Amino acid sequence: MGSITEVFKNDPLHLDSAIPLDFDTLKSVPESHEWALEPSNHSLDSSKMLPVIDLTHPDAPHLVAHAARTWGIFQIVNHGVPLGLMQSVESEARRLFNLPTQDKMKVLRSPENLAGYGVARIAPFYDKCMWHEGFTIHDSCVGHAKILWPHDYESFCNTMMEFRHKMKPLADQLLHYLLKSLNIPGELVQIWAESTDKVSGTIQLNSYPPCPDPRHVLGLAPHTDTLLLTLLNQCQISGLQYFRDDIGWISVPPVPGAFVVNVGDTLEILSNGKFPSAYHRVTVNENKHRISYAYFHGPSMDSPAEPLDKAEKPLYRSMTVREYCAIKAKHNEEALGLVKL
Ligand SMILES: O=C(O)CCC(=O)C(=O)O
Ligand SMILES: [Fe+2]
């Protein structure tokens, strides 16, 4: 069984770029963090544009598939993940990021590892730095949590494991709706559903501290997510923006209790471009410490990454998911273009 960790072992992050800034000590934005930003499109009311889908609606499978085709990004409510659990994930994430920098540095992600504390994986691709610190959980988080809270690590680990346990079937359900809407045999849908059983989804906690001058700062640079689907909660503070050629950058408004669902590159490939992977970025704000947390839903690394509908002319070349992840780790934004036929 392959895991995404091995991809990062082969393509390590350089350590000097893996340490986030000590945000607490800053009174102004250093030049290292000043970006020339493409402005957002404020003339459109984005709350009316991106679909918010009630998963208890009888037509939910069709609504999900339609939103994924039209936008590559949408929100879901009535998804069955308890609000109390969502609040606990946020408060445990805040507990982690509020620790002193020297404590967080004890669980710094090592260059060849996916799990731990550090900057975003995309950081080395940019000259400028992002106003962001992250913590990634892959497999168990007990080792890191015991270092951070030797006598009080269980609530963090239990919350994260419970969260993963609830997110997996939800992500599987969405994937099932999406694959079933494609013109592919039922057995193939089943093979894909089983493929995600072999891996434990990755949890990403993100922290965007208040910023003295957010106008020229980015929380996360524009990117697409790599795997099948990302389910993200914005913890009631806006910041996530989505790009489409015809409208520019628009905000994804926080909806209480909702998850934002993004299509990732691998699903774009499987669907032969029908579900476009969502290009998104994160802005920061002056007064609020924004937290977001995401569940990345992926298949086993040995799975084929290739268009599933064999009646169509493939727009992407055939490879394994492992191979695609390695291309993404090396080429970031260019990766999808490199595998297009
Ligand atoms: O913080 C957010 O709203 C988005 C985070 C994100 O894009 C990611 O973790 O990949
Ligand atoms: Fe993302």
Side-chain angles (χ1 to χ4, degrees):
M1 182 206 315
S3 106
I4 195 165
T5 323
E6 66 194 68
V7 172
F8 296 110
K9 284 210 170 82
N10 296 335
D11 198 10
L13 263 185
H14 298 295
L15 196 60
D16 58 346
S17 63
I19 304 170
L21 204 60
D22 185 354
F23 294 98
D24 292 346
T25 59
L26 293 171
K27 301 275 174 286
S28 62
V29 174
E31 213 185 305
S32 56
H33 286 65
E34 274 189 7
W35 294 68
L37 285 187
E38 288 171 57
S40 324
N41 185 344
H42 294 298
S43 64
L44 294 167
D45 182 357
S46 54
S47 63
K48 296 208 174 64
M49 298 178 75
L50 280 186
V52 179
I53 300 170
D54 179 346
L55 284 192
T56 60
H57 192 287
D59 209 20
H62 172 247
L63 295 172
V64 164
H66 186 257
R69 276 178 196 243
T70 321
W71 294 95
I73 184 167
F74 52 94
Q75 307 208 51
I76 51 170
V77 291
N78 285 328
H79 41 63
V81 180
L83 194 57
L85 176 61
M86 295 173 74
Q87 285 160 345
S88 299
V89 177
E90 177 184 347
S91 67
E92 291 294 341
R94 284 194 188 277
R95 183 159 82 105
L96 187 155
F97 290 118
N98 286 337
L99 287 169
T101 302
Q102 71 264 27
D103 285 4
K104 291 183 277 191
M105 294 298 284
K106 290 182 199 156
V107 294
L108 191 66
R109 191 191 291 137
S110 62
E112 68 286 345
N113 244 315
L114 178 65
Y117 175 72
V119 296
R121 277 292 308 181
I122 53 175
F125 291 97
Y126 299 92
D127 296 339
K128 296 292 181 177
C129 303
M130 295 167 232
W131 204 264
H132 166 270
E133 54 184 339
F135 185 80
T136 309
I137 300 169
H138 189 71
D139 299 327
S140 163
C141 57
V142 174
H144 281 154
K146 273 190 175 167
I147 294 172
L148 294 173
W149 304 285
H151 306 294
D152 184 18
Y153 63 91
E154 279 172 344
S155 70
F156 182 85
C157 296
N158 292 344
T159 301
M160 296 305 156
M161 293 313 105
E162 174 68 8
F163 176 63
R164 178 147 69 197
H165 183 70
K166 289 277 191 292
M167 295 310 282
K168 162 89 172 65
L170 173 59
D172 273 336
Q173 179 191 10
L174 296 169
L175 185 65
H176 194 251
Y177 291 165
L178 294 172
L179 295 181
K180 272 200 86 163
S181 78
L182 299 173
N183 179 30
I184 57 174
E187 309 91 78
L188 207 49
V189 175
Q190 196 52 34
I191 287 170
W192 273 90
E194 283 164 16
S195 155
T196 67
D197 285 345
K198 296 190 203 136
V199 278
S200 55
T202 301
I203 299 172
Q204 173 69 25
L205 309 177
N206 295 308
S207 155
Y208 309 92
C211 174
D213 183 2
R215 287 170 305 170
H216 308 292
V217 170
L218 271 182
L220 279 184
H223 67 281
T224 55
D225 296 343
T226 304
L227 299 176
L228 294 168
L229 288 171
T230 304
L231 280 66
L232 173 110
N233 185 262
Q234 302 198 66
C235 303
Q236 291 313 308
I237 301 177
S238 60
L240 179 61
Q241 295 192 332
Y242 164 74
F243 184 84
R244 228 169 67 163
D245 284 338
D246 52 344
I247 46 181
W249 286 106
I250 56 163
S251 291
V252 179
V255 171
F259 284 106
V260 179
V261 182
N262 283 343
V263 171
D265 295 351
T266 305
L267 186 54
E268 173 170 325
I269 295 169
L270 297 185
S271 69
N272 208 20
K274 290 202 181 60
F275 304 131
S277 73
Y279 194 52
H280 54 285
R281 71 178 184 183
V282 180
T283 60
V284 294
N285 66 70
E286 197 166 349
N287 305 310
K288 295 178 187 156
H289 184 174
R290 179 173 185 270
I291 296 289
S292 74
Y293 56 88
Y295 175 82
F296 295 118
H297 192 52
S300 104
M301 289 288 120
D302 300 322
S303 306
E306 62 188 19
L308 297 178
D309 183 349
K310 299 299 173 206
E312 277 181 350
K313 180 173 175 287
L315 302 178
Y316 306 82
R317 73 174 169 87
S318 280
M319 68 216 114
T320 59
V321 172
R322 176 185 295 103
E323 222 183 307
Y324 182 70
C325 287
I327 294 170
K328 185 76 183 268
K330 233 185 203 66
H331 299 281
N332 193 33
E333 283 201 79
E334 266 106 61
L336 262 184
L338 288 173
V339 301
K340 274 194 180 138
L341 292 171

